Amino acid sequence: METTCLGQEKIWFDKWRFDDAERQFYEQQNGPVTVCSSSQETGASTILQDIARARENIQKSLSGTTTAAAPLPAPSATTCVTISTSAPAADYSGLIERVANLELENHSLRQVIEDLRQVVSKLENRITAVEKCPVSSQPDPVPAPAPAPVPKSKPTATANGHPAEEDDDIDLFGSDDEDEESEKLKEERLRQYAEKKAKKPTLIAKSSILLDVKPWDDETDMAKMEECVRSIQMDGLVWGTSKLVPVGYGIKKLQIQCVVEDDKVGTDELEEEIIKFEDYVQSMDIAAFNKI
C-alpha cells in the first residue's frame, strides 16, 4: 500500500544521480579538495553514511522491503577523505587574527595577575614587620603637669608665745573687709565705664523732609507764606531750599526742604506749627521723607 502511494506521488527519486553528475563536473573544473584534518574526516564520514542510509531506505521502500540497510564501516582516523566542493577554500585569516588577539589578552592578564601578586606579597611583608615591632616603640605619653604647691600660712603666736592652730586662720563665712574692697572696686569700674562712654561721640539721627504747603487760592501771597513758614524756629530744625510748583488753575504750592533731628523735632509738631498760619496755609503734606 505504501509503495503504491509513493508511486503516485511526484518524487524525484533520481536526484542523487544528478547531484553526483554535478559534483563530478565541478571536480573537473576546480579539482578535488583533500582535507587531512582528523576533525573534518569525522564530519565528512558521518555525512556520507547518512546519505548512504537514506538512499538504501528509499530504494527498499520502493521495492517492498522494510529491512534497514547495514551501516557502512567508519573510516580510520589516519585515512584522508577527498571532498569535492564547488565553493573555494575557507579563509582562515579571521580565525588567525582572533587567536592572536586572545593570546595578547592572555599575556596582559598574566601580567596584571603577576603585579597583583607582587603587591600582595609587599603588603604581607609590611604586616609581618608591623606585628613583629615591640610595644615599647610607641611614643611615651606626655606626663601631666604637677599641681602647684599651696603656700602654707605661717602660724601666728598666741599671748602665751605658742603658735596658734591652723583652724583659727580659716574664715568660713568671709569678712567685712573683703566685701568693702569688692564694692569699691566695682564702683571704680562703673565710674571708668561711664566716663569712657561719655567721651565717645553719639550718633545723631537726622531726616530730610520735603514739605508741600498749599495755599487757599491763586490770590494768596506766596512770598509772605514762605516767610511765615521759615519763621518757625526749633531746636534741631534747619530750613533748606524752596520753590513754587504749579498745581492747576493758576494755583501754585510751596515746596520747601528741611532737615530735622529725630529726637528733637517730630513731623506732627512741625505740621501743627505750619498750619497755625491759617490766613495763608490751607494744608500741609509730606512729599518725601529720607533718613540721613
Side-chain angles (χ1 to χ4, degrees):
M1 184 65 181
E2 294 178 357
T3 306
T4 307
C5 294
L6 290 173
Q8 294 178 358
E9 294 294 335
K10 295 181 180 180
I11 300 174
W12 191 5
F13 294 105
D14 300 342
K15 185 177 182 300
W16 59 275
R17 296 179 179 177
F18 293 94
D19 293 338
D20 292 343
E22 184 179 2
R23 179 175 55 82
Q24 292 176 2
F25 172 76
Y26 283 113
E27 284 180 357
Q28 293 176 0
Q29 295 291 330
N30 301 326
V33 179
T34 303
V35 180
C36 298
S37 175
S38 59
S39 59
Q40 292 182 357
E41 290 175 359
T42 306
S45 62
T46 306
I47 294 171
L48 292 174
Q49 290 177 7
D50 294 339
I51 293 172
R53 291 194 192 98
R55 289 175 179 176
E56 290 181 2
N57 290 331
I58 293 172
Q59 291 177 0
K60 289 183 179 181
S61 63
L62 291 174
S63 61
T65 61
T66 57
T67 305
L72 296 175
S76 61
T78 59
T79 58
C80 295
V81 180
T82 302
I83 303 173
S84 300
T85 176
S86 61
D91 188 7
Y92 295 101
S93 61
L95 182 60
I96 294 172
E97 185 178 358
R98 290 184 61 187
V99 171
N101 293 333
L102 289 174
E103 289 179 354
L104 292 175
E105 291 178 1
N106 188 16
H107 180 70
S108 61
L109 289 174
R110 287 176 181 273
Q111 186 66 30
V112 171
I113 292 171
E114 186 64 27
D115 295 341
L116 290 176
R117 285 178 180 174
Q118 293 178 2
V119 172
V120 171
S121 64
K122 290 180 181 179
L123 290 175
E124 289 178 353
N125 294 334
R126 291 184 63 182
I127 292 171
T128 305
V130 171
E131 290 177 352
K132 290 180 179 180
C133 289
V135 182
S136 61
S137 62
Q138 296 180 356
D140 298 333
V142 179
V150 180
K152 296 182 179 179
S153 60
K154 295 181 180 180
T156 57
T158 59
N160 297 330
H162 298 288
E165 296 181 357
E166 295 180 358
D167 295 340
D168 295 339
D169 296 337
I170 300 174
D171 190 1
L172 299 177
F173 301 99
S175 61
D176 296 337
D177 296 338
E178 294 179 357
D179 294 340
E180 291 178 0
E181 291 179 359
S182 62
E183 288 292 333
K184 290 180 180 180
L185 182 61
K186 185 177 181 181
E187 290 177 359
E188 182 66 20
R189 289 179 178 177
L190 289 174
R191 185 180 60 79
Q192 292 177 359
Y193 176 74
E195 291 178 357
K196 185 177 180 180
K197 188 175 181 180
K199 292 179 181 179
K200 185 177 180 180
T202 57
L203 182 63
I204 300 173
K206 295 182 179 181
S207 300
S208 175
I209 306 174
L210 183 64
L211 303 176
D212 284 345
V213 184
K214 300 176 182 177
W216 288 103
D217 51 20
D218 57 345
E219 297 180 355
T220 304
D221 190 356
M222 301 300 295
K224 185 66 177 177
M225 186 176 68
E226 182 179 355
E227 182 181 354
C228 294
V229 171
R230 290 183 179 273
S231 65
I232 300 173
Q233 299 294 329
M234 299 175 66
D235 186 14
L237 172 63
V238 179
W239 293 106
T241 59
S242 63
K243 64 179 180 178
L244 298 177
V245 179
V247 177
Y249 301 101
I251 301 174
K252 296 181 179 181
K253 65 179 179 179
L254 174 64
Q255 197 170 69
I256 187 168
Q257 185 84 23
C258 67
V259 177
V260 299
E261 295 182 10
D262 296 342
D263 296 337
K264 296 180 180 180
V265 181
T267 56
D268 296 336
E269 184 180 1
L270 184 61
E271 184 178 0
E272 290 177 0
E273 293 293 331
I274 294 175
I275 293 177
K276 286 182 181 179
F277 302 100
E278 56 186 8
D279 295 338
Y280 302 99
V281 179
Q282 178 191 6
S283 62
M284 191 273 291
D285 296 326
I286 297 175
F289 189 95
N290 298 316
K291 290 285 184 181
I292 299 177

